[in-house]
């Protein structure tokens, strides 16, 4: 069963829905008309057998996902068997079409799947050992059909299409029963643990608000009660006023190394006007995000001659929590601390959650500003 329902999330992107052989959803985000769009997955796939669980850590007040079924997922396939490349006769991949621009599909090995929260079940030893089904949704976002492309080398129009896909999926997953937070992210590089080389990211629809988000919301509530201000907005204003950690900016977005950065190179991108998630950004703000994000990634790549193992996370307000002050932002970090050297999470970080950063944020910001602007139109504060 295949459905085709062209929709237009923006003037420039056309959406086609399809269904994969095992029932998963696949969505094309087309920048131009593709004659060869294939909506029928010809493969014969066994049914997806999900089965993750979330367990409550009563000591830290956090949910932790258990997804043992993911151990069988595809691990570093050869390039000619890439499941994210367009399908060919020899390689019937996850994407049935011979080409695509941006495509999103449900992960065959999801950490979260299914609708509804599912009732919390107490363990034999009582309510301190609660668990629930790991409901939610996990999707894969392919940024380009080119297996060897670098995200930073993609045209700005493509990054804009990726943002359109992120926003579209944020709206869709937010409406799914049981999803409490939508997280769009990208892991890059084998050092990060990426198992597929093809340029892609992921989207999680969590059945809970993630621990970092919950902590920031608690801080913002306390700050609001104490000062009447918006914590995120005041931090942004403070960074702009100080200026020493600003990396790049444009009319709608500001990129800075946070005052208490944990990673050797860590850049946060904030919209100048509050939005709680990507769906609240207008078209102009999405254009400006595409420009600044590619600029920041280019600067981070320019700092090292080695490859850039990196993580990009789109931090959005939880779907149902009371989080009026939450401020959408992107956090981009690399675990590279110097040429040929990686920052590992060792004793203090892994055991205690207490980070020790090897580069001060002001030095990191200056080095990022000193990288010649990889794209025109975005300037660091020194260029003002
Ligand atoms: Zn590929």
């Amino acid at each position: 069963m295949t459905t085709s329902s062209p929709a237009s999330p923006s003037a420039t992107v056309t959406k086609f829905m399809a269904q994969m052989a095992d029932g998963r959803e696949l969505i094309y985000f087309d920048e131009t008309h593709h004659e060869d769009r294939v909506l029928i997955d010809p493969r014969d796939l066994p049914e997806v057998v999900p089965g993750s669980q979330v367990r409550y850590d009563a000591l830290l007040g956090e949910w932790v996902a258990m997804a043992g079924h993911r151990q069988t997922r595809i691990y570093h396939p050869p390039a000619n068997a890439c499941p994210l490349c367009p399908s060919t006769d020899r390689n019937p991949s996850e994407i049935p079409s011979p080409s695509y621009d941006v495509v999103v599909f449900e992960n065959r090995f999801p950490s979260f799947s299914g609708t509804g929260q599912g009732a919390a079940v107490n363990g034999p030893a009582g309510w301190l050992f609660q668990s629930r089904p790991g409901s939610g949704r996990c999707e894969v976002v392919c940024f380009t059909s080119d297996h060897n492309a670098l995200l930073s080398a993609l045209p700005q129009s493509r990054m804009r299409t990726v943002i359109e896909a992120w926003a579209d999926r944020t709206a869709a997953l937010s409406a799914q029963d049981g999803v409490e937070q939508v997280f769009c992210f990208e892991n890059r590089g084998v050092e990060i643990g990426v198992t597929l080389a093809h340029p892609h990211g992921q989207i999680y629809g969590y059945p809970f608000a993630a621990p970092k988000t919950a902590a920031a919301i608690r801080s913002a509530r306390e700050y609001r009660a104490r000062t009447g201000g918006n914590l995120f907005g005041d931090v942004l204003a403070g960074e702009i006023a100080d200026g020493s950690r600003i990396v790049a900016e444009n009319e709608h977005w500001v990129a800075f190394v946070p005052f208490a950065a944990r990673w050797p190179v860590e850049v946060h991108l904030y919209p100048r006007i509050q939005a709680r998630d990507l769906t609240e950004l207008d078209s102009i703000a999405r254009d400006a995000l595409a420009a600044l994000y590619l600029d920041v990634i280019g600067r981070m790549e320019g700092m090292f001659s080695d490859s850039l193992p990196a993580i990009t996370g789109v931090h959005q307000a939880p779907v149902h929590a009371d989080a009026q002050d939450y401020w959408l932002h992107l956090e981009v970090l690399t675990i590279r601390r110097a040429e040929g050297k990686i920052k590992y999470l060792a004793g203090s970080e892994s055991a205690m959650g207490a980070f020790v950063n090897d580069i001060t944020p002001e030095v990191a910001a200056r080095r990022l500003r000193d990288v010649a602007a990889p794209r025109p139109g975005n300037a660091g504060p020194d260029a003002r």
Side-chain angles (χ1 to χ4, degrees):
M1 193 176 76
T2 301
T3 58
S4 163
S5 56
S8 194
S10 83
T12 53
V13 176
T14 306
K15 209 170 89 173
F16 287 95
M17 314 277 292
Q19 199 169 55
M20 300 165 81
D22 53 9
R24 287 175 290 148
E25 273 188 323
L26 182 144
I27 305 145
Y28 297 96
F29 293 85
D30 287 349
E31 294 166 351
T32 54
H33 179 66
H34 288 260
E35 292 287 349
D36 56 8
R37 185 59 63 244
V38 176
L39 300 173
I40 296 169
D41 181 357
R43 299 172 300 170
D44 184 19
L45 289 180
E47 204 180 328
V48 178
V49 185
S52 69
Q53 186 187 56
V54 293
R55 295 185 178 186
Y56 193 65
D57 179 338
L59 288 176
L60 293 185
E62 297 174 1
W63 290 94
V64 181
M66 309 290 154
H69 61 290
R70 282 167 50 81
Q71 289 288 33
T72 55
R73 68 189 190 270
I74 300 159
Y75 188 77
H76 296 296
N80 62 6
C82 174
L84 307 186
C85 275
S87 277
T88 61
D89 290 342
R90 270 194 232 151
N91 177 32
S93 73
E94 293 279 62
I95 298 107
S97 286
S99 72
Y100 62 82
D101 295 328
V102 171
V103 73
V104 176
F105 61 88
E106 284 186 78
N107 197 322
R108 184 161 169 78
F109 302 92
S111 301
F112 306 99
S113 62
T115 57
Q117 280 284 359
V121 177
N122 292 346
W127 63 269
L128 287 177
F129 302 90
Q130 290 178 66
S131 63
R132 285 193 338 229
S135 58
R137 174 114 162 179
C138 291
E139 299 183 337
V140 176
V141 186
C142 298
F143 302 145
T144 168
S145 58
D146 180 355
H147 185 87
N148 297 308
L150 262 183
L151 182 70
S152 58
L154 294 176
Q156 190 176 311
S157 56
R158 174 56 53 86
M159 192 59 226
R160 179 68 175 77
T161 303
V162 171
I163 292 167
E164 205 63 41
W166 283 346
D168 177 274
R169 303 315 299 154
T170 296
L173 270 57
S174 294
Q176 179 177 316
D177 183 27
V179 168
E180 292 297 329
Q181 188 177 22
V182 181
F183 180 47
C184 310
F185 64 103
E186 185 201 1
N187 297 329
R188 292 175 69 189
V190 290
E191 299 91 339
I192 297 283
V194 175
T195 53
L196 298 173
H198 196 109
H200 73 286
Q202 300 182 64
I203 301 174
Y204 278 10
Y206 290 120
F208 46 70
K212 269 183 81 170
T213 311
I217 289 171
R218 281 194 297 275
S219 300
R221 270 196 209 124
E222 288 165 16
Y223 185 81
R224 168 71 67 186
R226 198 168 69 246
T227 70
N230 181 311
L231 176 61
F232 298 91
D234 286 358
V235 166
L236 173 62
E239 290 290 359
I240 293 170
D242 179 286
S244 65
R245 289 175 297 278
I246 302 282
V247 172
E249 59 189 311
N250 60 31
E251 196 182 337
H252 299 276
W253 288 79
V254 181
F256 59 89
V257 180
F259 177 70
R262 287 166 172 73
W263 298 91
V265 184
E266 174 179 348
V267 181
H268 294 190
L269 287 76
Y270 275 57
R272 291 183 192 270
I273 296 172
Q274 188 197 3
R276 278 166 302 180
D277 61 36
L278 291 165
T279 68
E280 293 186 1
L281 294 179
D282 64 19
S283 186
I284 293 168
R286 294 181 192 190
D287 290 343
L289 171 59
L292 194 66
Y293 177 68
L294 290 173
D295 177 284
V296 166
I297 286 285
R299 287 176 191 275
M300 289 172 74
E301 286 177 347
M303 277 181 76
F304 307 104
S305 58
D306 298 335
S307 64
L308 186 78
I311 295 171
T312 294
V314 181
H315 293 249
Q316 313 195 82
V319 179
H320 300 110
D322 176 19
Q324 291 304 308
D325 281 345
Y326 201 84
W327 202 294
L328 161 76
H329 61 282
L330 276 67
E331 296 186 9
V332 191
L333 65 91
T334 178
I335 59 171
R336 187 167 299 294
R337 61 183 172 85
E339 305 287 346
K341 292 179 179 157
I342 296 289
K343 162 83 177 174
Y344 291 103
L345 296 192
S348 188
E349 292 86 358
S350 292
M352 296 303 279
F355 276 70
V356 179
N357 192 345
D358 302 308
I359 304 180
T360 59
E362 293 74 21
V363 170
R366 191 174 66 238
R367 288 183 59 195
L368 285 164
R369 286 197 300 269
D370 286 347
V371 175
R375 300 210 172 222
N378 294 300
D382 295 343
R384 278 184 292 191

